[in-house]
Amino acid sequence: MESNNNSLRQQIADMRQSLFDEEMLDRHYRTVEELSDKDHPNFAEEVMTMYFRDSTKLIAIFENALENAPFNFIVLDKYLHQLKGSSASIGAKKVWEKINEMRDCLRERDIEGTRTVLQQLKKEHDNLRGRIEPYFRMLRQVGPSEIAQRPK
């Protein structure tokens, strides 16, 4: 049984490390993890769950706003600014990068470019969610005593 537990712990460590190696997450996520403690062992998971709930809504609002000309570039940029801040604070590096690309397109009034990058943003957002949710499920299997280790 101990061997299975060690194997699961290694899988968890490998999954986590791959999120950093593939630059899906950055050092800001480590800060979120460090806020977990014995009273809030799932803090990082809770923060990420809220992030995905809120960011998914914001992406949908932004996408809808891109369907309705004339475009209010100030409002569109405000949505992206909000999404950029929340993505940066949880360390969603690739999502954050796509938001910056979209903001550049908006500044140039390039709606088609913005729509193209929006699809890339949604893909990165979905990829991150698809990778981090199984990681959290595995963490719950080993229990709250498993504190994440810094990546190599």
Side-chain angles (χ1 to χ4, degrees):
M1 184 70 173
E2 184 62 33
S3 149
N4 286 343
N5 200 23
N6 286 339
S7 174
L8 184 57
R9 289 176 196 271
Q10 186 59 50
Q11 277 185 283
I12 290 168
D14 292 346
M15 287 176 80
R16 182 182 180 278
Q17 186 62 45
S18 73
L19 292 167
F20 288 95
D21 291 347
E22 295 170 34
E23 297 185 340
M24 295 178 90
L25 294 175
D26 67 17
R27 64 184 171 80
H28 293 97
Y29 179 74
R30 279 189 230 123
T31 303
V32 172
E33 282 184 323
E34 289 169 359
L35 295 172
S36 296
D37 59 24
K38 66 181 169 88
D39 294 326
H40 300 95
N42 299 322
F43 181 78
E45 181 178 9
E46 292 166 11
V47 167
M48 293 302 282
T49 298
M50 287 187 293
Y51 166 76
F52 284 115
R53 182 194 64 212
D54 296 345
S55 61
T56 299
K57 288 178 190 174
L58 200 52
I59 291 168
I61 290 168
F62 182 86
E63 188 169 30
N64 187 50
L66 272 182
E67 298 303 316
N68 302 312
F71 304 105
N72 185 332
F73 290 96
I74 294 170
V75 170
L76 289 170
D77 190 62
K78 181 180 155 191
Y79 293 143
L80 289 182
H81 182 74
Q82 184 178 348
L83 187 58
K84 178 182 174 181
S86 61
S87 298
S89 69
I90 59 96
K93 184 176 183 191
K94 286 186 176 182
V95 171
W96 181 84
E97 289 171 348
K98 290 299 173 189
I99 295 165
N100 284 331
E101 286 181 42
M102 287 175 59
R103 290 186 84 193
D104 290 344
C105 289
L106 277 181
R107 281 187 202 101
E108 296 169 9
R109 304 297 196 245
D110 178 4
I111 293 299
E112 286 311 309
T114 302
R115 287 182 177 135
T116 298
V117 179
L118 174 61
Q119 296 311 309
Q120 296 168 6
L121 165 77
K122 288 167 55 177
K123 180 181 177 215
E124 292 300 342
H125 187 263
D126 290 346
N127 285 346
L128 178 58
R129 174 182 263 165
R131 294 282 299 282
I132 206 155
E133 287 177 349
Y135 166 72
F136 286 130
R137 277 194 298 277
M138 290 179 79
L139 270 180
R140 286 192 305 272
Q141 286 180 336
V142 295
S145 64
E146 180 70 18
I147 303 298
Q149 301 298 311
R150 288 189 177 272
K152 299 170 191 165

